[in-house]
Amino acid sequence: MGRGRLRIYLGAAPGVGKTYAMLAEAHRRVERGTDCVVAFVEHHGRPRTEALLHGLEQVPRREIAYRGGVFTEMDVDAVLARRPAVALVDELPHTNIPGSRHPKRWQDVEELLTAGIDVISTANIQHLESLGDIVESITGVRQKETIPDEVVRRADQIELVDMSPEALRRRMAHGNVYRPDKVDAALSRYFRPGNLTALRELALLWVADRVDAYLNRYRSEQEVSAIRGSRERIVVGLTGGPEGQTLIRRSVRLAEKGAGGQVLAVYVSRSDGLASASPKELAVQRSLVESLGGTFHHVKGEDIPSALLEFARGVDATQIVLGASRRRSWQYVLGPGVSATVAHESGPDLDVHIVTHDAAGRGRGLPRRQRTRLGGPRLAAGWLVGVAGPLLLTLGLASTGGGAGPAYETQLFMAVTVAAALLGGMWPALTSAAVGSLLLNRYFTSPVHTWTFTDPGNAFTVLVFFAVAAAVASVVGLAARRTRQAARLRAESETLSLLAGSVLRGDTSLEALLERVRETFAMESVALLERAGDAGPWTCASGAGTARPVARPEDADVDMPVGDRLTLALTGRVLPAEDRRVLGAFAAQAAVVLERRRLVGEAAEARRLAEGNRIRTALLAAVSHDLRTPLAGIKAAVTSLRAGDVEWSREDRAELLAGIEEGTDRLDHLVGNLLDMSRLQTGTVRPVLRETGLDEVVPTALGGVPEGGVVSDIPETLPMVTVDRGLLERAVANIVGNAVRHAPSGTPVLVSAGAVGDRVELRVADRGPGLPDEAKDAVFDPFRRYGGAPPGAGAGLGLAVARGFVEAMGGTVTAEDTPGGGLTVVIALPRTPDRRPVRPERPAAPAA
C-alpha cells in the first residue's frame, strides 16, 4: 500500500472560493466513478457552497465535549474505517478541540495519507508559518492558526485560487462570504484593496517559487538541461534576543526563493559557561526554525564572528543572515560588532544579509573579556611576578643601600616586567610596568621619595616600560595562540589519519567507530539516526555510550547531518565550532561504514541466494535423473510381475522382488540425503551432544555395508567423544558407503581410530583411484562427483551431508591421500575432558 496523494487549494485571501473549487473537483471525480467522501467541510452558511455538498457522501463527525459545550471535529477513525479513495478535508491549518487525536488538522491529514487515502484540502496564504510577520504587517492581524510551510510544500499538487480585490469585495458586498451585519466591518478593515493586493502578491510569489521547484525537478528527471548552481544554505546567527524570530522567518523566505533551500540557525556561546541568552527564548526560536523545516545548532567559540564563519564554511553555506546590532552608538568605540566583523571577513564566497528589527540600536550589555589562552597556573604566576616582583626588587635594592645607578636599576625593573609578560601576558605585564615605574621614580630617581618627574627622560622611561610590556605580551599571546592552533591541528590530523586508515582497511565496525567518536569528544552517548523519507520518523541505526542514545536530533546537544536522511546525534556537552570539522569527518565515515555494512549483508544474502539457486538446480537434476532411475527399475519389475501372459518361475520372481527392494533402498537413501541437505541449508540441524564411545557408534553405522567390504579397527580404550550419536552414525555410514563404492572389488575399506591431542580421529581409507589435490575439498560440495562414478553412485550428497553433520557437532571432515594409493577421509571429533575420580582420604592409623 503506497502513500496517498495530497492536493491543496491555496487561497490568496478568505472568500476567494477555495472550498467551492474543492467541492466542484469532488463532483467531477464522482462523475468519473471515483470513491470520494466528505471527511470535513464547513460551508459557513454560504448557500452556493452548501448546495455543492448535496450529492456527496459525508462521513459523520465526532462530537467532543469541551468547557460545557459540544463541538464537532473530523472523525479520523470513521474515515479510516470507510477507506475511500479520496477524502475532502477543509481548513488544513485548523486547530482541533482538546481531546482530539491530534492537536492540528494537518496531522489528521498526515495519518490519512499514510493509510493510502488521497486527500483534497484547503488553506489560505496567511496561514503559512513563515509569512506570519509579513501578514501581520500588512493586515494588522496576527494569525493564530498556522501551518508549517513544509507541510504545504510536500503536497503533490497546489492550485492557487485567486481573484482581483475588486471582484472579492463585490462578492462580499453581495453577502456571498459573510453575513450582512459583518460585511461593512470586514470591508473597512481586513478586506481593504491595499491589503488584498499585498496578500495576492504574496500568494503569487510563494506559488511561483513552488513552480520553479517543479520545473527544476522536471528538468532533472527528463534530462532536459543541467540545473546550474547548488541549493542555498542559509546560516542564521542567533543571539537569543528578541530579533531571532524575525531573522528566522526572513531566512526561510530567502531559502524559498530557490529550489531545495536549507536554513541552519546557529547560536554561538563562549566556553566560560555564562550564557547571555534567555534559555526560554532560545527554545522558542529552536521550535520555530524546526517547524519551518530548518535545523538548530548550538556551538561554542571564544571569538563569535570567527566561530560563526567557521560553522558557515563547514556546512558549505552560501548566505549568512544577521540582525542589525543592538548596540548604542557610543558602544561602537569598543569594536565594530559581530555583524560588521562577519561582513568584513566573510570573503567573496559568502553573502551577508543584515536585517533591521525593532530592537536595533536599543542597547545591550558590554562585551565580555575574552578568556586567556595561557592557562590558569601560568596566569597566576604572571600576576604574582607582575605585582610582587617590583615590590621585592625595591626591598632588595633598598636593603643594599642602592647607589648602583639609575641605568642598572631601570634594567632590573624592565627584566621583571618582561618576566611578567612572558608568564601572564598583557594585563600582568602592564600592571608590572605601572608598579615598577612608580617605585623606580619614588625611590631611585631624583628627587627621591616624591612622585614628581623633574627629568623628561624619566617620563620617557615610563613610556618605554609600557611599550616593552605591551610588545612582549603581544608576542607571548600570539605564540600561545599559534601553539594552541598547532597542537589542535596536529591532534586533528592524527585523529583523521587514524580514522581514514582504519575505515579504509575495513577493521572498524560501526559500533567501534561511534565509540571512538564518543571518546574523542568526551560525550555521554552517540547515535547514528536515519529515516526512510524527508519527513519520516527517526530510527537508531547504531549507538554507543554510557547513557541511552537519543531518538531524535532535536533531543541531542550536538547533531551533525549527513545528507537528508542521516544524522549523528551526541549528548553530553555543546561542542566548540572548531570541533565540528572533525565531527563532520566522523559523521561522513559513519555513513560510509553503515553503507558498507549493508552492502556486505546484501552480498552475503546474494551469495546465499546464489548457493540456494545452485542447490535447487542440482536438486532438479537429481530428481530428473537419480530419482527416476530407481523408479524406472521398480516400475519395470512391478509391471513384469503383474503381467498375466507370462508365467514367472520362483527364481525369476525372487529376482524381480530383489530388484524392487534394491530400488526402494536406493530411493530411501537418496531422499534421506536430500532431506538432510535441506535441513543443513536451512540451519534446522540441532545436535544433542552426549558423551559417546566410537566403539559403540561405528559398528552400528557399518550395519548396511556388504560383508567383507570393511575392516574395522576401533580400540575400546579410546577416549569418549561429545557428539550426537544419530548424526555421527549417519555421517560415518555415508563416508564408508562412498568409500566402498569406489574401492576395487575384493579390497576392503579400512576404518580405524586413534586419539590425537584433544581430538579423536576416525579414518576411512580405501584403495580406489583417489582424487587430485584441488578436488579434495570440493568433493564435499553438494551434488559434486569426480572421476568415473560407478553406476548407482547417487546424487553426490553423501559426503556433503556427512561434513555438515560433523561440523554441526564441532568436528571437521577432511580428505587426504592413502599411502600406496586411494583416498582417506578423516573425521576429527572433540574429545571429552577427562574426569579423574576423587579418591576418599584414608582414615588416620590409630596410635599404638
Side-chain angles (χ1 to χ4, degrees):
M1 178 184 64
R3 177 180 171 87
R5 297 176 61 83
L6 175 62
R7 177 170 184 166
I8 296 178
Y9 285 92
L10 185 64
V16 294
K18 58 186 182 300
T19 303
Y20 189 95
M22 177 182 67
L23 293 174
E25 172 67 16
H27 278 283
R28 289 191 294 270
R29 297 199 179 199
V30 169
E31 292 174 358
R32 294 195 299 265
T34 304
D35 182 15
C36 185
V37 302
V38 176
F40 189 99
V41 171
E42 193 67 56
H43 56 75
H44 297 291
R46 298 168 186 171
R48 295 187 178 182
T49 304
E50 184 178 3
L52 281 179
L53 285 172
H54 298 302
L56 297 176
E57 179 184 351
Q58 300 187 42
V59 178
R61 302 182 184 181
R62 179 188 176 191
E63 294 185 352
I64 301 176
Y66 180 67
R67 293 186 177 180
V70 178
F71 302 86
T72 60
E73 293 286 1
M74 180 175 66
D75 193 337
V76 179
D77 290 330
V79 178
L80 293 174
R82 170 62 176 78
R83 195 165 188 80
V86 180
L88 307 183
V89 182
D90 201 8
E91 298 178 356
L92 191 60
H94 171 74
T95 301
N96 293 329
I97 297 296
S100 302
R101 184 198 298 268
H102 300 111
K104 302 289 287 187
R105 183 168 292 166
W106 66 263
Q107 296 171 320
D108 296 335
V109 169
E110 186 69 21
E111 186 172 350
L112 298 182
L113 295 172
T114 304
I117 300 174
D118 293 347
V119 176
I120 304 177
S121 189
T122 63
N124 284 329
I125 192 67
Q126 69 265 24
H127 292 130
L128 296 180
E129 176 64 47
S130 67
L131 303 179
D133 55 347
I134 297 297
V135 173
E136 183 179 5
S137 65
I138 294 173
T139 63
V141 178
R142 185 68 181 182
Q143 296 295 328
K144 296 181 179 179
E145 293 188 332
T146 59
I147 183 172
D149 293 42
E150 185 64 22
V151 175
V152 182
R153 281 197 296 266
R154 288 201 308 264
D156 300 279
Q157 291 181 333
I158 299 176
E159 183 170 339
L160 180 64
V161 182
D162 181 30
M163 63 171 48
S164 65
E166 295 77 13
L168 179 56
R169 287 172 59 85
R170 283 197 303 270
R171 175 179 290 183
M172 294 188 63
H174 294 159
N176 294 331
V177 178
Y178 293 139
R179 296 196 306 267
D181 57 337
K182 294 185 177 182
V183 170
D184 291 338
L187 290 175
S188 61
R189 295 176 183 174
Y190 193 96
F191 291 86
R192 290 178 295 179
N195 291 354
L196 295 178
T197 301
L199 290 175
R200 188 184 189 192
E201 180 184 13
L202 200 62
L204 291 172
L205 289 173
W206 195 92
V207 175
D209 290 338
R210 176 69 177 176
V211 172
D212 186 53
Y214 276 132
L215 179 60
N216 287 337
R217 187 173 64 183
Y218 172 80
R219 289 175 176 174
S220 176
E221 292 174 352
Q222 302 297 325
E223 299 181 355
V224 175
S225 62
I227 300 176
R228 299 181 60 85
S230 60
R231 67 175 182 173
E232 296 287 347
R233 284 190 176 90
I234 302 177
V235 170
V236 189
L238 300 179
T239 65
E243 75 281 3
Q245 297 187 38
T246 301
L247 299 182
I248 291 171
R249 291 191 175 94
R250 176 61 175 162
S251 302
V252 170
R253 292 196 296 272
L254 285 175
E256 291 175 350
K257 296 299 182 182
Q262 184 180 6
V263 175
L264 301 93
V266 57
Y267 170 69
V268 181
S269 64
R270 291 190 174 94
S271 58
D272 53 13
L274 300 176
S276 61
S278 167
K280 182 177 180 181
E281 184 65 27
L282 279 179
V284 172
Q285 294 174 12
R286 175 171 189 160
S287 177
L288 175 62
V289 71
E290 290 175 350
S291 69
L292 295 175
T295 57
F296 182 89
H297 306 271
H298 184 183
V299 301
K300 287 186 177 181
E302 298 293 344
D303 184 61
I304 293 179
S306 298
L308 188 61
L309 287 170
E310 187 170 358
F311 175 86
R313 294 190 175 101
V315 298
D316 295 327
T318 58
Q319 301 181 51
I320 298 179
V321 175
L322 300 173
S325 178
R326 286 186 279 133
R327 290 180 170 190
R328 298 187 185 277
S329 57
W330 63 268
Q331 291 179 326
Y332 281 96
V333 299
L334 302 173
V338 173
S339 301
T341 303
V342 170
H344 181 265
E345 298 180 358
S346 61
D349 56 335
L350 279 172
D351 295 334
V352 180
H353 302 265
I354 299 180
V355 180
T356 59
H357 51 86
D358 295 337
R362 293 188 176 182
R364 59 179 301 169
L366 294 176
R368 294 190 186 89
R369 176 179 58 85
Q370 184 173 334
R371 293 184 66 189
T372 180
R373 293 181 171 88
L374 298 177
R378 186 172 173 181
L379 180 63
W383 280 108
L384 180 63
V385 172
V387 175
L391 297 175
L392 294 176
L393 180 59
T394 301
L395 292 175
L397 292 175
S399 63
T400 59
Y408 173 74
E409 294 157 350
T410 301
Q411 290 177 3
L412 290 178
F413 278 97
M414 184 70 71
V416 173
T417 300
V418 171
L422 292 175
L423 289 174
M426 182 66 70
W427 292 110
L430 295 179
T431 302
S432 177
V435 174
S437 61
L438 290 175
L439 293 176
L440 182 65
N441 178 67
R442 173 81 178 179
Y443 296 104
F444 304 104
T445 304
S446 298
V448 296
H449 304 296
T450 63
W451 301 105
T452 59
F453 290 98
T454 58
D455 187 355
N458 296 337
F460 178 74
T461 301
V462 173
L463 294 178
V464 171
F465 260 84
F466 281 94
V468 170
V472 175
S474 299
V475 173
V476 170
L478 179 62
R481 288 195 297 271
R482 294 291 183 264
T483 301
R484 183 180 179 185
Q485 292 173 358
R488 179 175 186 83
L489 292 175
R490 183 176 64 253
E492 287 183 4
S493 63
E494 291 176 355
T495 300
L496 294 176
S497 175
L498 180 62
L499 172 65
S502 61
V503 171
L504 289 176
R505 290 192 302 269
D507 56 1
T508 300
S509 65
L510 182 58
E511 291 74 16
L513 179 62
L514 296 183
E515 180 63 26
R516 182 173 296 172
V517 173
R518 189 188 70 82
E519 293 176 353
T520 301
F521 297 101
M523 288 294 186
E524 295 179 357
S525 70
V526 179
L528 184 61
L529 306 178
E530 64 175 343
R531 58 182 178 183
D534 294 339
W538 291 97
T539 59
C540 183
S542 184
T546 57
R548 184 177 181 181
V550 297
R552 300 182 305 168
E554 52 265 29
D555 297 334
D557 294 317
V558 181
D559 65 287
M560 175 59 67
V562 188
D564 296 330
R565 300 182 180 182
L566 273 178
T567 187
L568 197 63
L570 300 87
T571 60
R573 64 188 180 94
V574 178
L575 286 182
E578 58 266 22
D579 283 347
R580 294 183 64 90
R581 179 172 60 252
V582 180
L583 181 61
F586 271 106
Q589 294 292 357
V592 171
V593 173
L594 176 63
E595 182 66 19
R596 186 177 63 194
R597 185 172 72 175
R598 290 178 174 169
L599 291 176
V600 169
E602 292 175 359
E605 180 65 16
R607 287 194 298 270
R608 189 187 66 81
L609 293 176
E611 179 65 17
N613 288 333
R614 191 182 70 81
I615 296 294
R616 283 189 291 270
T617 302
L619 179 60
L620 290 175
V623 170
S624 62
H625 180 268
D626 296 285
L627 291 179
R628 291 181 64 182
T629 300
L631 282 175
I634 295 172
K635 175 69 174 177
V638 171
T639 302
S640 300
L641 289 174
R642 295 189 61 186
D645 56 346
V646 178
E647 187 67 28
W648 300 102
S649 63
R650 179 176 297 179
E651 292 78 9
D652 293 337
R653 187 179 297 273
E655 185 179 352
L656 290 173
L657 290 175
I660 293 174
E661 184 178 9
E662 181 184 356
T664 54
D665 288 341
R666 289 175 58 191
L667 280 177
D668 179 68
H669 179 73
L670 182 58
V671 171
N673 280 337
L674 289 173
L675 293 176
D676 290 338
M677 198 67 236
S678 176
R679 291 170 59 200
L680 290 171
Q681 291 291 329
T682 56
T684 57
V685 176
R686 298 290 185 269
V688 180
L689 304 179
R690 292 188 179 90
E691 295 182 9
T692 307
L694 287 182
D695 57 329
E696 301 174 2
V697 177
V698 174
T700 306
L702 302 180
V705 180
E707 187 176 354
V710 174
V711 174
S712 178
D713 181 16
I714 309 296
E716 296 181 357
T717 57
L718 280 176
M720 304 288 282
V721 291
T722 304
V723 295
D724 184 308
R725 181 166 180 166
L727 296 182
L728 182 58
E729 287 181 4
R730 190 63 177 270
V732 173
N734 283 355
I735 293 174
V736 173
N738 182 76
V740 170
R741 283 194 297 270
H742 290 83
S745 179
T747 304
V749 173
L750 176 61
V751 180
S752 60
V756 181
D758 60 345
R759 306 179 77 80
V760 176
E761 291 186 352
L762 180 67
R763 308 175 71 87
V764 180
D766 64 60
R767 293 293 181 178
L771 289 174
D773 291 338
E774 62 272 11
K776 286 186 173 62
D777 188 64
V779 73
F780 295 100
D781 293 342
F783 303 100
R784 186 68 63 88
R785 290 182 289 185
Y786 282 89
L797 289 174
L799 294 182
V801 171
R803 169 176 273 191
F805 283 170
V806 172
E807 290 180 348
M809 296 182 290
T812 60
V813 179
T814 56
E816 59 186 40
D817 292 328
T818 302
L823 186 71
T824 298
V825 177
V826 182
I827 304 175
L829 300 168
R831 173 179 176 174
T832 303
D834 295 332
R835 294 186 177 88
R836 296 181 180 179
V838 180
R839 297 181 179 179
E841 296 181 358
R842 290 186 176 183

